[in-house]
Amino acid sequence: MVKVGIIRCQQTEDMCPGTMDFVVASEGKMGFAEMGPVEIIGFLSCGGCPGKRAIPRARMMVDRGAEAIAIASCISKGNPIGFPCPHFHEIKEGIARGIGPKVEIIEWTH
């Protein structure tokens, strides 16, 4: 089972407990469909706008065993607030630089 760390939007923490992220990860559905069921080893926020803390937080999860980092749909798609993060691409590129090419980045969860 692949070990995954999830980075979520800090602004959605008071609206969403991440339940759907955990469900689709454990069932290997939606954003996790290509890899099947996964084990979530960390679930952290981006640290607030503009998301600079996402990079060291992703690196921390990789150091603790994450083989992939998922950027939650609250960042990439705007679920549940209907407003995708305007910093999504910078966050994704920063995480990619910070963790290197051997760790997969999943762009959405559900």
Side-chain angles (χ1 to χ4, degrees), residues 2-61:
V2 176
K3 295 179 180 181
V4 177
I6 298 178
I7 301 285
R8 67 177 301 171
C9 171
Q10 183 172 324
Q11 292 189 28
T12 63
E13 285 182 337
D14 60 345
M15 293 176 245
C16 174
T19 305
M20 186 58 78
D21 296 303
F22 286 93
V23 169
V24 297
S26 69
E27 294 177 354
K29 294 182 177 176
M30 302 187 91
F32 304 98
E34 289 186 23
M35 56 182 56
V38 300
E39 176 186 353
I40 297 175
I41 61 112
F43 189 75
L44 299 169
S45 80
C46 64
C49 294
K52 292 180 183 179
R53 291 186 187 156
I55 300 160
R57 290 174 179 190
R59 196 173 11 228
M60 176 177 52
M61 288 190 280

